[in-house]
């Protein structure tokens, strides 16, 4: 062990590398990412493009070489087996987020960006709708603005005031939560003569954890927007509309998966390649959970 690592472990050893896990991070590196040592590489981009492990690839190869997976839309035995696997994985995703299969559906996509794009494309935008999003958001979430604006809807960013850094909006502090809107954007300059009605659909998007700053938002925000939008958005012409909530959990689900039994979230975008769960990692998929 070199001197720099020894000094680091002396100060941070009790918190370093899954201290309560079945394997230390050094053991994981040696047994599952041995190619890093072979090439003398330190890899730091696990938040954006995590590496697959040797054990993961061995499991996938064994699975694919031992089973026959056919088109799940056909009627053969192999097709039925594939359908069973897909159904099992969908349920596994719902269980991971404590989501009821009666209320939520799991849709597999090519990535979290594709999941967010799907929401933007399918949302029932109108001239009375708005897309509201927190300033801390991934570019893929911001791209939803284009779908909203192209349909004549409004879009604006908000700052969430009185949040607790690292913990989000704390329970029991609902009265302190305030959203401060930035300038409203529209694709055209036509202004609505009347306020949006209560049947207009609006979309609010925020990350469970910001990719850039690491700031965590409590999912309490979802409940507050749905149950008390008139207070939270006091003075906004959109406060009386019907609010739908989208949570980008692509980063946050790696350490704190959203509990959908407690929070009124309608859409959740997830990337499991960032999650340190071997059963989920083995499949390396992304998905959108919809209510």
């Amino acid at each position: 062990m070199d001197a720099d690592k020894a000094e680091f472990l002396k100060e941070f050893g009790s918190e370093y590398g899954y201290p309560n896990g079945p394997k230390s991070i050094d053991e994981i590196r040696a047994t599952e990412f041995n190619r890093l040592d072979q090439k003398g590489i330190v890899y730091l981009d696990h938040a954006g493009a995590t590496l697959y492990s040797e054990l993961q690839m061995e499991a996938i190869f064994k699975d694919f070489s031992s089973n026959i997976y056919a088109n799940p839309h056909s009627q053969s035995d192999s097709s039925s087996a594939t359908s069973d696997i897909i159904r099992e994985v969908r349920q596994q995703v719902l269980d991971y987020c404590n989501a009821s299969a009666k209320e939520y559906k799991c849709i597999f996509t090519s990535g979290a960006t594709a999941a967010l794009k799907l929401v933007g494309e399918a949302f029932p935008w109108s001239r009375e709708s708005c897309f509201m999003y927190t300033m801390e958001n991934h570019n893929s979430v911001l791209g939803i603005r284009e779908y909203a604006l192209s349909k004549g809807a409004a879009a604006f960013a908000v700052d969430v005031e009185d949040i607790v850094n690292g913990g989000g909006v704390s329970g029991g502090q609902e009265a302190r939560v305030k959203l401060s809107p930035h300038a409203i954007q529209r694709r055209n300059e036509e202004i609505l003569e009347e306020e949006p009605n209560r049947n207009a659909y609006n979309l609010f998007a925020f990350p469970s954890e910001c990719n850039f700053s690491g700031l965590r938002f409590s999912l309490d925000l979802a409940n507050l927007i749905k149950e008390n939008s008139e207070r939270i958005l006091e003075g906004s012409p959109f406060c009386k509309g019907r609010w739908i909530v989208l949570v980008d959990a692509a980063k946050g689900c790696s350490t704190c998966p959203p509990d959908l039994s407690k929070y009124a979230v309608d859409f959740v975008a997830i990337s499991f390649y960032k999650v340190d769960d071997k059963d989920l990692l083995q499949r390396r998929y992304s998905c959108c959970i919809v209510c």
Side-chain angles (χ1 to χ4, degrees):
M1 182 184 301
D2 58 44
D4 289 338
K5 183 174 182 179
E7 184 177 351
F8 173 84
L9 291 177
K10 183 178 180 180
E11 183 173 355
F12 301 105
S14 61
E15 301 177 355
Y16 171 68
Y18 314 109
N20 298 318
K23 290 184 180 180
S24 69
I25 193 169
D26 292 328
E27 290 174 321
I28 293 173
R29 180 184 172 98
T31 59
E32 302 187 32
F33 298 92
N34 186 50
R35 62 190 184 283
L36 292 175
D37 286 334
Q38 292 178 349
K39 296 183 178 295
I41 291 176
V42 175
Y43 190 84
L44 299 176
D45 196 26
H46 281 278
T50 194
L51 296 176
Y52 50 83
S53 73
E54 281 89 342
L55 294 182
Q56 179 185 5
M57 295 306 296
E58 289 175 7
I60 292 173
F61 179 77
K62 181 179 180 180
D63 185 16
F64 279 23
S65 60
S66 303
N67 297 290
I68 299 175
Y69 295 118
N71 185 345
H73 305 295
S74 299
Q75 301 299 317
S76 68
D77 291 341
S78 297
S79 298
S80 297
T82 304
S83 297
D84 291 341
I85 291 292
I86 293 173
R87 185 164 48 251
E88 175 189 337
V89 173
R90 281 202 170 101
Q91 186 59 52
Q92 190 177 9
V93 173
L94 294 177
D95 291 343
Y96 186 71
C97 295
N98 202 15
S100 168
K102 294 181 179 179
E103 298 180 7
Y104 289 92
K105 300 295 183 183
C106 174
I107 301 173
F108 296 118
T109 64
S110 61
T113 296
L116 295 166
K117 182 173 181 286
L118 184 64
V119 174
E121 290 175 332
F123 197 81
W125 304 109
S126 71
R127 291 178 62 250
E128 296 181 316
S129 300
C130 81
F131 173 49
M132 180 173 69
Y133 53 94
T134 56
M135 286 295 291
E136 294 85 356
N137 255 311
H138 194 278
N139 284 341
S140 298
V141 175
L142 303 185
I144 295 176
R145 285 181 306 193
E146 296 305 307
Y147 295 103
L149 295 173
S150 68
K151 297 294 185 179
F156 60 92
V158 292
D159 291 315
V160 182
E161 298 183 5
D162 291 326
I163 61 175
V164 180
N165 190 13
V169 181
S170 58
Q173 294 182 332
E174 295 184 6
R176 295 180 52 203
V177 177
K178 180 182 178 182
L179 303 184
S180 300
H182 291 251
I184 296 177
Q185 307 171 55
R186 282 193 182 274
R187 183 54 51 83
N188 55 57
E189 298 301 323
E190 182 180 358
I191 304 298
L192 290 175
E193 295 181 359
E194 299 180 357
E195 288 188 357
N197 62 57
R198 291 184 179 273
N199 294 320
Y201 284 94
N202 305 312
L203 181 65
F204 175 46
F206 68 96
S208 58
E209 183 175 347
C210 178
N211 282 41
F212 177 73
S213 66
L215 179 67
R216 294 181 179 179
F217 291 87
S218 170
L219 297 190
D220 283 332
L221 276 173
N223 293 349
L224 295 178
I225 285 293
K226 283 178 161 292
E227 298 170 3
N228 207 357
S229 61
E230 293 192 28
R231 182 186 67 77
I232 300 297
L233 297 170
E234 184 178 1
S236 169
F238 303 102
C239 64
K240 296 180 180 180
R242 300 175 63 180
W243 281 96
I244 305 298
V245 177
L246 162 66
V247 170
D248 175 13
K251 184 175 189 295
C253 70
S254 62
T255 55
C256 187
D259 186 344
L260 298 183
S261 70
K262 297 181 179 179
Y263 303 104
V265 177
D266 299 282
F267 302 104
V268 181
I270 294 177
S271 286
F272 279 105
Y273 73 86
K274 298 177 182 179
V275 178
D276 185 31
D277 183 300
K278 298 216 180 322
D279 290 334
L280 295 172
L281 273 174
Q282 182 172 333
R283 295 177 172 88
R284 296 176 66 84
Y285 45 71
S286 296
C287 67
C288 180
I289 300 177
V290 300
C291 182

